[in-house]
Amino acid sequence: MRKIILFLLFFIFSISCLKFEESDLDPNSPFSILLGLAQLQNNQIASELELRGTYLDNGELPGSFSFLSLQKINDDSWENMDLLNDNVDALDTDSNEYKAGTRIDFDGSFRFYIQEPGIYRWIYYQFLQMENEIVVQGSEVFRIDSIRSNPPISLRSAFTDPSHSFRWDRTEAVPFQQKRFDSITEEYSSFLGENNGYSYFISQCIQPQKYRISTESFNLRKNPCLHIRDPGENWHALILEDLDLVTISNPAGGDESTNIQSSRIIPTENNSVGFVLEITSSASATTYRSYKIDPTSRTILQAENVQPSGGTSIGIEIEKIRPFPGGMVYIETGSNEPRWDSNLLFAGSENQLISSGTNNFFELPGSLTSDNLSSHNGILLRQGPSDPDILRILNPDFTTTEISLSADDTPTNFVIRASKYSVTIFDTPGGGPFKIIPKSIALTSGTGSVNFLPGFDITSDSPPSFMGNQSNETQTVYGLETIQSGDAIKEIRSWNHTTGAFNSITLPNLSSIQPLESGFNFSENYEFGKQLLLDENNVTFIQKLSTSDGGGRSYQSNDFYFTTTSDDANWSEWNALPNWGM
């Protein structure tokens, strides 16, 4: 064995001296096997260079609408190049190879990843809103001698204004990742739920090479990105590269934007899960695409465009899709028909109308909000609708039953929160002063009883709003918005099912992440319905980082950051989700 290991080491370190044609090799020969081992060793130790730099305008950070592109120059053309005008579009030429684009990060810096030594050029673009044009403000040619943390060597630079400059802030060798990406927007991101110890969060991302930046337009080719946390609390990313989303911003007109909204996770067979995406475009009709994935291998098992049973002219209320025994239930728009489907609307799946009957669960579907529709161990729950003091239950056999929630005739504002462990009703009697009254519901085969629990006074000028409420076996955690002296106050609250404690949860300070430029501060960016997740053990909060100087300059992070607590008090440090995927 020792001789074999020594031979392998000798072979790995001497392989670059051998000359051969790959076609000459027998793929099953010992030599081919050794070559494969050498390549594996190379992949394990491969690295790339992360460069971070900051563009400065008279010593200050640039405007918010700023981008950089990166080119690799393969000859000596850079020596006589007009850096502010020549080859400024994001295109390949005989001498320039387009590598990547990026936008300004939350701290005012830009970042690139470089995989090989050579001569490179960055170009800085800014969108001037008043003039409605995209201009090149600066460019620099620099040399990278090694991808082992060596700093860039500037060869030439040019700026439209002598007060402009660029500084390199950090150079670090990091493990090579095949599919780096920036997360584009927070607006279309959301937690999708948890199943069998795996948690799911969806966003839009763009791989650096898919930025196309020029003085004519910003052309971004994005993809949905599914972030998966495994039972060991490690985060991974699966890029849905089969679905291209487009954002084209053109000062001359003709803008185009494609975005997604996702259903919640639908458990399917063998620990896999599925979800349905609604794809909206400014240039075409709304479409739908379903996915089934294996969270363990992070692979797509099935993906195809789907449509409602009523055809392409009918839509789906994507935010109201819920898991139900044997598949999922959903509502088709236009007809307002509730339907059940066995397999995420894939071709060949069983699909049927949920017929109306006494106490129809889907009565007045327009009043059925996604915030008041909950799942609990194979049944669906909703308020009313014709009587707001009624909890209506859809049983696995599609029959409907009801439970009265009110102990008297006091006007109520119910919010239903359920999980596989429990069902809780939060009641805020109307008229003020406002009080939150938790009600614990015990359900058995469509029947149940209500346990009225002590309430908690709330200071608010109007009924409080609940956002992102979730429950596990021991507690319910939710975002709460109250109006105090005319101002909206957002906070996270937890209600302990055992002790009855009703506590406020404080997130850790963002300023611990890294220092900001003078005058810039972090901004709160709370959308609890999308950012708050409660699984069996932990509360997780996830967000992009937003900063501003109060004078019109504001930035948002290229990554999502998360923090976790198991006791509602001691939070982990803010960490970035991995910016690479499969």
Side-chain angles (χ1 to χ4, degrees):
M1 176 62 71
R2 183 179 178 184
K3 290 182 179 180
I4 293 175
I5 293 174
L6 289 174
F7 175 74
L8 284 174
L9 290 173
F10 171 78
F11 178 78
I12 289 168
F13 288 108
S14 62
I15 190 67
S16 60
C17 301
L18 301 177
K19 294 182 179 180
F20 59 89
E21 294 293 332
E22 189 173 348
S23 57
D24 294 338
L25 295 179
D26 175 358
N28 297 313
S29 69
F31 189 74
S32 292
I33 294 172
L34 288 173
L35 178 59
L37 288 172
Q39 290 172 335
L40 176 63
Q41 174 74 9
N42 254 347
N43 290 337
Q44 290 175 336
I45 63 173
S47 64
E48 57 189 346
L49 196 63
E50 181 186 70
L51 300 178
R52 280 194 175 268
T54 303
Y55 194 93
L56 298 170
D57 180 350
N58 199 24
E60 295 185 341
L61 293 179
S64 305
F65 298 97
S66 303
F67 292 80
L68 255 69
S69 68
L70 181 70
Q71 300 173 349
K72 188 173 187 292
I73 303 177
N74 297 318
D75 57 23
D76 295 331
S77 61
W78 62 270
E79 294 179 350
N80 300 306
M81 185 181 295
D82 181 346
L83 295 182
L84 298 178
N85 293 288
D86 290 349
N87 300 326
V88 295
D89 292 338
L91 301 171
D92 292 333
T93 67
D94 292 339
S95 58
N96 297 314
E97 179 185 354
Y98 179 76
K99 302 298 289 186
T102 189
R103 61 176 185 167
I104 200 167
D105 209 344
F106 75 95
D107 59 354
S109 71
F110 297 89
R111 72 180 179 196
F112 286 115
Y113 294 92
I114 291 179
Q115 290 77 39
E116 58 183 347
I119 295 176
Y120 293 85
R121 173 195 182 193
W122 59 253
I123 305 170
Y124 171 73
Y125 306 82
Q126 190 167 26
F127 175 44
L128 303 180
Q129 292 176 286
M130 296 295 292
E131 294 81 358
N132 194 33
E133 62 178 339
I134 303 169
V135 298
V136 174
Q137 298 277 38
S139 180
E140 179 182 84
V141 177
F142 61 95
R143 188 176 76 237
I144 296 295
D145 290 331
S146 168
I147 57 171
R148 300 294 183 186
S149 298
N150 290 41
I153 299 172
S154 178
L155 300 177
R156 287 187 62 208
S157 61
F159 302 93
T160 58
D161 190 307
S163 67
H164 290 198
S165 61
F166 188 88
R167 71 174 188 228
W168 291 107
D169 298 320
R170 190 173 79 225
T171 308
E172 181 180 2
V174 296
F176 171 75
Q177 302 294 343
Q178 182 68 41
K179 295 181 180 179
R180 293 277 184 187
F181 62 78
D182 289 343
S183 295
I184 289 297
T185 177
E186 194 166 47
E187 182 179 359
Y188 301 99
S189 63
S190 181
F191 272 118
L192 304 186
E194 178 264 346
N195 185 66
N196 286 338
Y198 289 87
S199 302
Y200 302 90
F201 180 80
I202 197 165
S203 69
Q204 294 185 32
C205 66
I206 181 170
Q207 298 178 63
Q209 67 273 18
K210 291 187 177 182
Y211 275 93
R212 293 294 169 179
I213 310 169
S214 72
T215 54
E216 300 296 327
S217 68
F218 296 130
N219 189 324
L220 311 181
R221 299 284 168 172
K222 308 170 293 182
N223 300 107
C225 183
L226 188 66
H227 306 266
I228 304 171
R229 184 174 65 186
D230 64 28
E233 301 188 12
N234 302 301
W235 282 96
H236 313 274
L238 173 62
I239 303 174
L240 308 183
E241 293 186 280
D242 61 313
L243 178 56
D244 279 334
L245 309 171
V246 179
T247 294
I248 299 175
S249 180
N250 185 350
D255 292 357
E256 182 181 345
S257 179
T258 309
N259 292 298
I260 57 166
Q261 185 175 355
S262 178
S263 73
R264 298 183 182 182
I265 285 294
I266 306 297
T268 57
E269 72 281 355
N270 300 325
N271 199 39
S272 62
V273 296
F275 52 93
V276 183
L277 293 183
E278 180 182 66
I279 305 158
T280 57
S281 171
S282 60
S284 59
T286 296
T287 57
Y288 300 92
R289 188 169 178 82
S290 290
Y291 286 86
K292 186 182 294 184
I293 67 157
D294 179 353
T296 305
S297 62
R298 298 182 292 284
T299 54
I300 299 174
L301 301 176
Q302 188 176 1
E304 61 185 61
N305 291 338
V306 298
Q307 66 181 39
S309 64
T312 56
S313 62
I314 301 296
I316 299 172
E317 296 193 43
I318 200 80
E319 74 280 3
K320 297 177 187 176
I321 293 176
R322 293 292 185 272
F324 202 70
M328 70 182 194
V329 295
Y330 69 99
I331 298 174
E332 295 190 349
T333 59
S335 63
N336 278 331
E337 286 186 348
R339 304 191 70 89
W340 170 87
D341 192 273
S342 65
N343 191 25
L344 299 162
L345 296 171
F346 286 128
S349 66
E350 184 181 351
N351 188 287
Q352 70 180 58
L353 174 68
I354 302 175
S355 60
S356 61
T358 304
N359 298 330
N360 176 22
F361 182 85
F362 293 98
E363 177 189 359
L364 304 177
S367 67
L368 177 58
T369 66
S370 61
D371 198 48
N372 240 0
L373 179 63
S374 296
S375 303
H376 172 70
N377 292 340
I379 62 176
L380 291 185
L381 310 168
R382 72 167 294 186
Q383 178 186 6
S386 53
D387 184 349
D389 292 342
I390 294 296
L391 175 67
R392 190 162 287 182
I393 302 167
L394 182 66
N395 299 301
D397 61 356
F398 300 114
T399 60
T400 300
T401 53
E402 294 181 340
I403 297 176
S404 176
L405 296 176
S406 183
D408 51 40
D409 294 328
T410 304
T412 56
N413 300 283
F414 290 123
V415 174
I416 304 170
R417 284 300 169 259
S419 69
K420 62 184 177 183
Y421 302 109
S422 62
V423 177
T424 305
I425 308 295
F426 289 98
D427 179 8
T428 56
F434 296 104
K435 191 182 190 74
I436 294 180
I437 305 173
K439 302 178 181 183
S440 178
I441 313 295
L443 296 172
T444 305
S445 300
T447 63
S449 59
V450 182
N451 180 23
F452 292 78
L453 303 168
F456 304 89
D457 293 327
I458 291 293
T459 301
S460 184
D461 303 338
S462 59
S465 300
F466 292 82
M467 301 166 289
N469 309 10
Q470 299 185 46
S471 297
N472 65 13
E473 190 170 14
T474 59
Q475 67 175 335
T476 298
V477 176
Y478 54 90
L480 182 69
E481 181 178 270
T482 56
I483 306 298
Q484 301 178 25
S485 300
D487 295 328
I489 307 298
K490 293 182 178 181
E491 57 182 325
I492 301 176
R493 292 289 188 102
S494 70
W495 174 61
N496 189 292
H497 300 168
T498 303
T499 66
F502 189 66
N503 300 319
S504 180
I505 302 177
T506 302
L507 291 169
N509 196 323
L510 288 170
S511 61
S512 62
I513 295 176
Q514 68 185 66
L516 299 177
E517 291 285 328
S518 176
F520 277 80
N521 294 291
F522 285 102
S523 306
E524 290 185 354
N525 194 24
Y526 297 159
E527 293 291 340
F528 294 126
K530 299 179 177 180
Q531 300 167 308
L532 189 64
L533 176 72
L534 176 66
D535 59 25
E536 296 185 16
N537 302 306
N538 301 307
V539 179
T540 299
F541 190 79
I542 188 168
Q543 69 171 339
K544 276 177 167 280
L545 304 182
S546 297
T547 59
S548 66
D549 66 347
R553 291 180 298 172
S554 60
Y555 312 125
Q556 193 175 70
S557 61
N558 285 317
D559 300 324
F560 279 95
Y561 286 75
F562 71 97
T563 181
T564 299
T565 180
S566 59
D567 59 9
D568 300 347
N570 297 297
W571 292 84
S572 66
E573 294 184 2
W574 289 97
N575 289 293
L577 291 182
N579 67 337
W580 63 88
M582 299 182 64

